[in-house]
Amino acid sequence: MPRNVDPITREGASERIAFLRGELARHEHLYYVEDAPEVPDDAYDALMRELAEIEKRFPELRTPDSPTMRVGGDVRAEFKRVVHAVPMQSLDNVVDLAGVEAFLTRLNTFASSPQAVVCEPKIDGLAINLTYEDGRFVQGSTRGDGSVGEDVTENLRTLSSIPLLLNAPFPSGRLEVRGEVCIAREDFARLNEQREKNGEPFFANPRNAAAGSLRQLDPAITASRPLRAYLYHIVNALSHGIARQTELLDRLALWGFPTQKREEACASFAQVSDYIERWSAERFHYHIGTDGVVVKLDDLKLREELGSTLKAPRWAVAFKFPPEEKRTRVLGIEITVGRTGVLTPTATLEPVELSGTTVRRAVLHNQAEIDRKDVRVGDFVWVRKAGEIIPEIVRVDVEARTADLPHYHMPEDCPVCGSRVPRIEGEAMLRCINSSCPAVIKEGLFYFASRVGMDISGLGRRTVDALVDAGRVHDFADLYTLTVDELAGFDRMGDKSAHNLVAAIDASRARPLEALLVAIGIRMVGKSVARALAGHFGSIEKIRSASEEELALVPGIGQVVAASVRAYFDDPHNMQLLNRLAAQGIRMDSPDVFISGASLPWVDKKIVFTGELERMSRADAQELARALGAQTPDAVSAKTTWLVAGDGAGSKLEKARRLGVQILDEPAFWELLESAQKGK
Ligand code: IVH
């Protein structure tokens, strides 16, 4: 391979770029589509780094189809609308084999001859439409209402399995392909685990996670999610010389698209019903979620003749799988105590296999839910997975209740610390209000250490349990007094881990104010409220001394949140804890964002950022500007005050020049920012 073509010259760079892009595309295809990588990850990373470096030196050679663009471009304010020239229809559903047979009969009657059909797993994902011009990916959209979708091109570009350039010989001109974006079951489990660690809310199921991830205004977030795409349809396939669905799928694969490769051509109802029966079981072992089987006419010419109704094509149906339900027994009801002290009842079950995993527990939420379903310990119950993921009890098999089982009542005392749990007016749940309850302390510490909080890696559940159980840690402040020696003495913690943990705890002292505000667990204060508070007040002291009315005036903070913040600071225990944290050197203010009162020097400024900044990410710089009152839209317009141009600025810079918008380089921006911060 032509290694080390000296990329000093533009020509050399261009040649090397072409080579690297070809290689990267090939490796991406092998890895993401074929599942058969040829080189180790670091060899791929090295090629990518080299390409990025050359493109950085020659920004004019960077094009949207470069694999370096998969990391996610600019953040947008909203999605553009895309009109689907050929509507993206849904499918008619059938729920039993008789429905499938009726469909086949209709096809055969229409054609006056027995027709072959193709069966494919129906992917439980999000429909997408991809447009290619001369083999180059130019636009990707969601289905929307079927006629008009959203332009998610930049987000789809970040999916490594979607080819940016098709393998030759691809059709010249326009090609539209359709398929589904989804998240594999294993990736989904890992994603939720990660979210738990970061203190972020769970996704209910892979479909929601895929939809939420694809419809992000910031493509970098999409890039960070394990999205996959599978294609199964070509719009106007006949005009590309394709006559059958089987051929269509082969062609997609040849061009480099990921396809499921689980299709089967069937010549009779017996074959179709055999496929459906096999998949009714197989689906629980399939790597992605499927909610049925799609049965489609193989002959594309005949499809045209059949046409479609307003809602769905006449040439296909979806056989929908019934949600799997299994019968098992309730062995007990356990109560867990969460970070905020809420007592949650969970049924422990006789283990049962359901949709590919062993189910041992089902959350019951609260007393009202237990009463509604009348679940009692010892009952036989039917369970299923809500959204194919979270086990739930559907109903009790009351007839099988032989003995006179007692009703279940939530405990009156916290099962962990034994203190009385008062029933709180207007709340469906019970809450342990003992702030020294070990369960509350442990959950609180785990959350304190999470990524959105103080980001102390290495402080997992096991370590937290050990430290609290040993009576060594009672609250957040105690963490900062831990030494390497004593940590190394704890079960399963080696010298190196002890060192790393102490270093991580130490580094967390400098976490920004907004992270501290999240970490201490004020009720209703998540990331965005914390950011608003930190940006507005600039220090714990100023937040503490603000009245409820003043708090409620902060944009993004309502009356209820203001009351919760006020209540937190009115509690002397919390103030003591904050004082101890301050004494341990934890940062209690944001020197970068120091705003007194309501004076916002940049309220009249509209600042647009473009390119890469050296000092911090664009998002952080925008936040600093917003804290001074500025607006930070994504697009340049005649109303833009300044365009801050970092490294590699492109079309926004040109537009700003054309409109006569004042352009600032990075040092000029920091200078203005610092003087605005001081002036307030
Ligand atoms: S064929 C124009 N095949 O299910 C193509 N659809 O509930 C007609 N879907 O709108 C659909 N897997 O988004 C087809 N293998 C598959 C599919 C599939 C999932 C989606 C598709 C459709 C929806 C209907």
Side-chain angles (χ1 to χ4, degrees):
M1 69 182 166
R3 257 216 73 80
N4 287 338
V5 172
D6 183 2
I8 295 299
T9 65
R10 198 173 176 285
E11 202 181 316
S14 166
E15 203 176 300
R16 184 77 185 150
I17 282 178
F19 168 76
L20 289 168
R21 285 185 190 164
E23 277 299 279
L24 284 162
R26 196 168 68 80
H27 291 310
E28 279 171 2
H29 183 82
L30 285 169
Y31 187 94
Y32 291 101
V33 181
E34 303 295 335
D35 205 9
E38 219 173 61
V39 294
D41 290 0
D42 50 358
Y44 171 85
D45 293 344
L47 293 174
M48 185 67 99
R49 260 197 315 276
E50 187 187 347
L51 177 60
E53 270 160 31
I54 306 178
E55 287 181 347
K56 198 165 172 200
R57 289 174 66 181
F58 298 91
E60 70 277 16
L61 297 178
R62 188 183 283 164
T63 55
D65 53 42
S66 174
T68 56
M69 303 299 273
R70 291 205 193 267
V71 292
D74 281 351
V75 177
R76 280 138 308 154
E78 58 182 9
F79 294 115
K80 277 193 302 187
R81 284 151 48 93
V82 177
V83 176
H84 300 303
V86 176
M88 292 180 78
Q89 292 192 303
S90 62
L91 291 172
D92 282 334
N93 291 334
V94 294
V95 292
D96 51 23
L97 289 173
V100 176
E101 193 168 23
F103 164 71
L104 295 179
T105 308
R106 280 200 303 278
L107 289 186
N108 295 342
T109 311
F110 181 84
S112 341
S113 62
Q115 288 300 310
V117 289
V118 174
C119 293
E120 297 168 18
K122 181 172 181 309
I123 304 166
D124 193 11
L126 196 76
I128 51 162
N129 186 78
L130 307 177
T131 307
Y132 288 76
E133 295 277 2
D134 294 328
R136 201 174 290 269
F137 176 56
V138 291
Q139 190 180 61
S141 55
T142 61
R143 181 182 137 149
D145 64 5
S147 307
V148 182
E150 288 173 321
D151 183 338
V152 287
T153 312
E154 296 317 314
N155 295 5
L156 285 170
R157 210 188 280 292
T158 69
L159 269 67
S160 306
S161 58
I162 292 185
L164 301 175
L165 278 175
L166 300 184
N167 295 334
F170 50 75
S172 58
R174 192 178 173 87
L175 172 75
E176 268 187 52
V177 298
R178 290 182 178 171
E180 217 80 1
V181 163
C182 59
I183 292 185
R185 293 214 288 231
E186 229 173 64
D187 292 337
F188 174 76
R190 227 172 294 135
L191 179 64
N192 260 352
E193 250 168 50
Q194 195 62 45
R195 287 175 78 80
E196 186 190 7
K197 273 196 204 131
N198 298 347
E200 293 161 328
F202 278 133
F203 286 117
N205 57 49
R207 218 199 84 81
N208 281 4
S213 301
L214 185 62
R215 298 188 61 258
Q216 288 285 337
L217 291 169
D218 181 355
I221 299 180
T222 309
S224 74
R225 304 272 170 82
L227 291 172
R228 298 172 187 234
Y230 293 97
L231 287 307
Y232 48 68
H233 189 72
I234 299 176
V235 178
N236 302 328
L238 285 174
S239 69
H240 296 290
I242 302 168
R244 306 199 149 263
Q245 176 70 11
T246 34
E247 193 188 334
L248 181 156
L249 291 170
D250 289 345
R251 197 71 73 84
L252 284 174
L254 279 177
W255 288 332
F257 289 106
T259 54
Q260 291 193 81
K261 304 202 169 58
R262 297 295 191 286
E263 75 278 7
E264 277 175 33
C266 300
S268 65
F269 169 63
Q271 285 178 3
V272 175
S273 83
D274 178 59
Y275 183 95
I276 290 175
E277 239 150 60
R278 267 184 285 128
W279 272 91
S280 298
E282 188 111 345
R283 65 174 167 136
F284 302 120
H285 311 287
Y286 196 37
H287 66 297
I288 51 176
T290 63
D291 53 351
V293 167
V294 184
V295 185
K296 350 179 151 169
L297 179 63
D298 194 24
D299 184 331
L300 304 189
K301 180 91 184 29
L302 208 53
R303 281 190 191 178
E304 294 244 304
E305 290 168 28
L306 270 157
S308 50
T309 65
L310 270 183
K311 182 188 152 248
R314 290 197 185 87
W315 44 261
V317 286
F319 173 90
K320 295 281 283 230
F321 295 128
E324 194 191 22
E325 288 183 1
K326 284 253 177 92
R327 194 167 168 277
T328 184
R329 192 158 199 186
V330 178
L331 301 176
I333 294 181
E334 276 180 4
I335 305 289
T336 54
V337 183
R339 174 171 65 87
T340 56
V342 170
L343 271 55
T344 307
T346 302
T348 51
L349 307 168
E350 213 157 79
V352 58
E353 281 291 310
L354 198 60
S355 311
T357 58
T358 308
V359 171
R360 295 189 165 82
R361 301 160 70 79
V363 181
L364 286 163
H365 302 291
N366 52 44
Q367 182 77 54
E369 167 107 349
I370 295 173
D371 294 345
R372 190 172 62 75
K373 291 183 175 162
D374 189 18
V375 178
R376 308 185 198 177
V377 175
D379 265 339
F380 285 95
V381 290
W382 289 95
V383 288
R384 72 160 174 229
K385 283 195 185 163
E388 293 291 306
I389 296 296
I390 302 159
E392 65 175 10
I393 291 179
V394 190
R395 64 185 174 281
V396 173
D397 186 351
V398 185
E399 261 128 62
R401 191 185 278 162
T402 47
D404 193 12
L405 301 174
H407 285 276
Y408 179 82
H409 296 289
M410 292 284 285
E412 292 179 348
D413 300 330
C414 169
V416 179
C417 71
S419 62
R420 193 118 283 232
V421 278
R423 189 168 285 283
I424 297 170
E425 200 59 44
E427 280 195 14
M429 55 237 184
L430 296 175
R431 206 185 278 279
C432 173
I433 52 168
N434 170 17
S435 55
S436 11
C437 172
V440 174
I441 293 175
K442 286 176 183 174
E443 292 297 321
L445 282 165
F446 187 63
Y447 185 73
F448 182 81
S450 69
R451 264 242 312 264
V452 282
M454 300 306 265
D455 195 15
I456 305 173
S457 57
L459 192 64
R461 275 190 195 281
R462 231 179 30 215
T463 311
V464 167
D465 285 352
L467 291 168
V468 176
D469 291 343
R472 177 59 185 85
V473 171
H474 303 93
D475 59 28
F476 311 143
D478 288 340
L479 289 176
Y480 293 90
T481 63
L482 291 167
T483 63
V484 173
D485 283 350
E486 69 181 312
L487 274 174
F490 272 91
D491 192 24
R492 277 186 284 211
M493 164 111 24
D495 251 3
K496 187 149 186 276
S497 318
H499 251 285
N500 291 345
L501 181 52
V502 169
I505 292 173
D506 185 39
S508 77
R509 288 186 160 93
R511 289 285 284 160
L513 176 60
E514 64 175 73
L516 176 66
L517 285 168
V518 174
I520 55 180
I522 308 173
R523 267 211 241 149
M524 283 181 270
V525 177
K527 214 166 142 185
S528 67
V529 170
R531 184 172 293 174
L533 287 171
H536 188 87
F537 292 102
S539 74
I540 286 279
E541 183 46 34
K542 287 212 154 52
I543 301 171
R544 186 194 64 78
S545 48
S547 67
E548 198 174 313
E549 292 70 36
E550 283 167 327
L551 287 164
L553 282 177
V554 178
I557 293 174
Q559 209 64 55
V560 183
V561 177
S564 165
V565 174
R566 200 48 264 157
Y568 178 89
F569 286 100
D570 283 340
D571 183 338
H573 285 115
N574 293 334
M575 285 318 299
Q576 254 172 24
L577 177 62
L578 285 170
N579 289 338
R580 289 180 50 229
L581 284 171
Q584 287 294 339
I586 282 84
R587 181 168 149 182
M588 294 277 153
D589 58 14
S590 308
D592 294 336
V593 190
F594 191 77
I595 296 177
S596 53
S599 88
L600 296 171
W602 279 4
V603 270
D604 55 344
K605 309 253 182 295
K606 288 194 171 50
I607 308 173
V608 178
F609 292 82
T610 184
E612 214 172 291
L613 302 181
E614 250 170 39
R615 205 190 278 187
M616 62 182 73
S617 73
R618 246 189 346 245
D620 286 347
Q622 283 177 327
E623 210 171 300
L624 290 182
R626 281 199 296 270
L628 293 168
Q631 290 175 41
T632 56
D634 291 309
V636 175
S637 76
K639 293 201 186 112
T640 307
T641 320
W642 298 320
L643 177 83
V644 181
D647 216 22
S651 60
K652 285 188 193 171
L653 186 56
E654 279 162 37
K655 185 162 180 197
R657 284 206 182 104
R658 224 172 33 243
L659 296 171
V661 169
Q662 189 178 355
I663 294 159
L664 301 178
D665 63 10
E666 199 179 330
F669 171 72
W670 295 129
E671 208 170 295
L672 284 168
L673 182 98
E674 272 151 31
S675 73
Q677 285 174 342
K678 282 194 203 112
K680 280 177 308 89

